[in-house]
Amino acid sequence: MRILIGWDNPEECDLISLYLGVSENDLVICPTTEEFLEQALDNNSWDIILMTIMSPDPQTAFDHFEQIRQKHLDTPVVGACPTQGTFHVARFLTAGMRAYIIRDEGGDFMFLLETTLQSVVDSVKAERERFVAERLREEIESVRKLQESIIPSDLESPDRFDVTARYESSQIRVFGGQPVTLAGGDYYDVFMLDDENLVLLVGDASGHGMKACMSIMTMHTLVGMIRSNKYLDTAAFVSDVNNRLCNQAIVNDDGGFITLLYGILNAKTNEFQWTSAGAPIPIVHELETNKVYELGSIDDGGLPLGIVPEVEYDIHTSVVPPDSRLLIFTDGLAEAFPGEKETFGEFGIPGIMKSLQESRSNDLETALSNLFRDSNAFTDGSGRHDDTSVVLLGRKN
């Protein structure tokens, strides 16, 4: 610790230096009021300040204390006084003194100096850490609310189809087992282009926190701007979004990018046209046979957005079978890892397929809830470390 001490008994200064010096503390002991005040009002930084509150008299000492407090707002000050002067302590404590020491005539108080000062420094440090942690929690919560404000709550679907969706923030557990929900950059949207065509999309910005959130907000804004053009060509739409995102520093600084699955369902022909920019491949679940399969391979994924302009993206077209479900999702659903260090692997596509099959007889909402439940259960309570967006569409006939 760097300790500044203002003391009024020169004979005790050497003993104080001895007791506090054993722990290699950096000490400056001032035996006069003038020297102490000069050191205290200098630009030096201190971990803690120890001063008498009786020298040269209580009122002057209090005036000096207030000057020191103004100069060193973040530095704890500990007072020292004899037993007969303890009634002055209340005034100092009210004004911001952190603690006090009673000076007995035998000097036994010196045995407690190191412990007392260290405990005050530790207490102040803990308070600051709690304050910073609380501010960070508030900031994370603000970012989360900003992000969630762009996620739609009322979803449209054409006749013969139902659709449901959910977004969940990533969650980790820290000391004490308390869950901490992180801000992230996942996003989904579902909207009708016209009476026949339903847009389904999920996006995922790399990383967490404000940058990921602002990246996905940027993409959301671009989607809204381009939506008026009613792009029925999914590859052209994704390419247009990519070119615009490549000019956005908030997205691609420090190697940032966004993955996107953009699809259009034609309710008249039951065709699902989709384009992937690094997003997981859509999955179909045929309820009658309980067969689950992906609509493509990893080679159909495409390059994520915001990395290179003028990328050519592919269009894939599939027919959504009668009495089936179509799933699009971000990788947080699959990339759920076990909590035990000795266990390896991830929930993965097999876990998603198994959950869908086990929810065969459940309604769409329950099947979606089961997906999140099963993915989270795979982590053994440690929580998914990536936020997750899922859109589940059901065709009735």
Side-chain angles (χ1 to χ4, degrees):
M1 294 182 291
R2 294 202 73 236
I3 309 171
L4 174 63
I5 302 174
W7 212 249
D8 57 3
N9 186 338
E11 294 181 358
E12 292 180 342
C13 288
D14 289 339
L15 289 174
I16 290 174
S17 178
L18 177 64
Y19 282 113
L20 293 180
V22 294
S23 298
E24 298 182 355
N25 295 309
D26 184 6
L27 306 175
V28 174
I29 303 178
C30 305
T32 67
T33 302
E34 294 76 18
E35 185 181 348
F36 171 65
L37 194 59
E38 181 182 355
Q39 286 283 351
L41 298 182
D42 199 358
N43 292 323
N44 290 326
S45 61
W46 308 96
D47 293 318
I48 193 166
I49 297 173
L50 172 65
M51 63 177 289
T52 64
I53 66 171
M54 302 295 288
S55 178
D57 59 76
Q59 180 57 52
T60 303
F62 184 78
D63 293 340
H64 292 168
F65 167 72
E66 289 195 315
Q67 293 180 60
I68 294 169
R69 283 280 295 159
Q70 292 177 7
K71 180 68 175 181
H72 301 279
L73 289 174
D74 295 329
T75 304
V77 180
V78 175
C81 68
T83 304
Q84 63 270 24
T86 53
F87 66 92
H88 293 290
V89 169
R91 185 183 184 190
F92 285 82
L93 292 176
T94 302
M97 184 170 276
R98 293 290 307 201
Y100 66 94
I101 294 171
I102 301 298
R103 297 168 62 179
D104 61 284
E105 294 182 359
D108 291 339
F109 70 92
M110 294 188 192
F111 292 106
L112 298 176
L113 277 179
E114 168 78 16
T115 301
T116 301
L117 298 182
Q118 186 65 61
S119 66
V120 170
V121 169
D122 291 345
S123 176
V124 170
K125 181 180 179 181
E127 287 180 8
R128 290 171 183 165
E129 289 176 349
R130 285 194 296 270
F131 174 77
V132 171
E134 184 58 33
R135 291 296 299 271
L136 288 174
R137 286 178 183 272
E138 292 174 0
E139 183 173 326
I140 289 172
E141 185 63 21
S142 297
V143 173
R144 287 182 57 242
K145 288 180 179 179
L146 177 64
Q147 174 196 7
E148 291 174 2
S149 68
I150 68 172
I151 297 176
S153 54
D154 298 324
L155 304 182
E156 300 177 89
S157 59
D159 293 340
R160 300 184 299 108
F161 291 91
D162 289 322
V163 65
T164 185
R166 182 190 294 187
Y167 162 79
E168 262 191 21
S169 299
S170 57
Q171 191 178 88
I172 61 174
R173 292 192 175 274
V174 295
F175 179 75
Q178 296 298 316
V180 177
T181 302
L182 303 177
D186 261 34
Y187 163 67
Y188 71 79
D189 206 351
V190 177
F191 57 89
M192 297 291 297
L193 278 179
D194 49 42
D195 292 339
E196 293 183 357
N197 293 291
L198 176 70
V199 168
L200 310 168
L201 69 88
V202 291
D204 180 9
S206 59
H208 294 287
M210 181 63 77
K211 182 180 185 299
C213 175
M214 295 309 297
S215 295
I216 215 70
M217 290 284 290
T218 301
M219 191 192 76
H220 170 71
T221 302
L222 292 178
V223 169
M225 292 170 58
I226 300 174
R227 181 189 301 189
S228 61
N229 295 337
K230 297 187 176 181
Y231 272 22
L232 292 172
D233 184 322
T234 57
F237 179 90
V238 173
S239 179
D240 198 348
V241 173
N242 175 62
N243 290 336
R244 299 189 189 204
L245 286 177
C246 284
N247 296 321
Q248 300 293 327
I250 187 64
V251 175
N252 49 42
D253 273 3
D254 301 321
F257 58 87
I258 297 175
T259 62
L260 174 69
L261 191 292
Y262 178 77
I264 299 177
L265 173 73
N266 186 300
K268 185 175 181 180
T269 64
N270 303 309
E271 286 187 344
F272 180 61
Q273 179 190 123
W274 58 276
T275 296
S276 172
I281 304 303
I283 292 176
V284 166
H285 178 203
E286 297 183 7
L287 299 180
E288 183 176 350
T289 61
N290 210 20
K291 181 181 179 182
V292 183
Y293 52 90
E294 294 178 278
L295 290 181
S297 68
I298 192 172
D299 296 331
D300 300 320
L303 190 71
L305 306 175
I307 299 177
V308 179
E310 304 302 333
V311 175
E312 292 187 6
Y313 290 94
D314 296 327
I315 298 175
H316 305 278
T317 303
S318 309
V319 174
V320 179
D323 196 24
S324 68
R325 290 168 178 170
L326 172 69
L327 179 75
I328 64 172
F329 56 98
T330 58
D331 57 13
L333 184 66
E335 293 178 357
F337 298 94
E340 297 295 332
K341 294 182 180 179
E342 295 79 9
T343 308
F344 299 95
E346 63 178 19
F347 186 62
I349 301 302
I352 293 173
M353 291 181 170
K354 180 181 178 183
S355 179
L356 288 172
Q357 289 174 321
E358 291 176 349
S359 298
R360 174 187 184 187
S361 59
N362 297 120
D363 59 39
L364 207 64
E365 287 283 353
T366 303
L368 180 64
S369 296
N370 290 345
L371 271 171
F372 279 88
R373 179 202 65 193
D374 295 340
S375 175
N376 192 60
F378 190 81
T379 70
D380 299 320
S382 64
R384 284 188 304 274
H385 291 198
D386 194 7
D387 42 349
T388 304
S389 290
V390 176
V391 177
L392 185 61
L393 175 95
R395 178 185 169 186
K396 300 174 184 178
N397 53 53

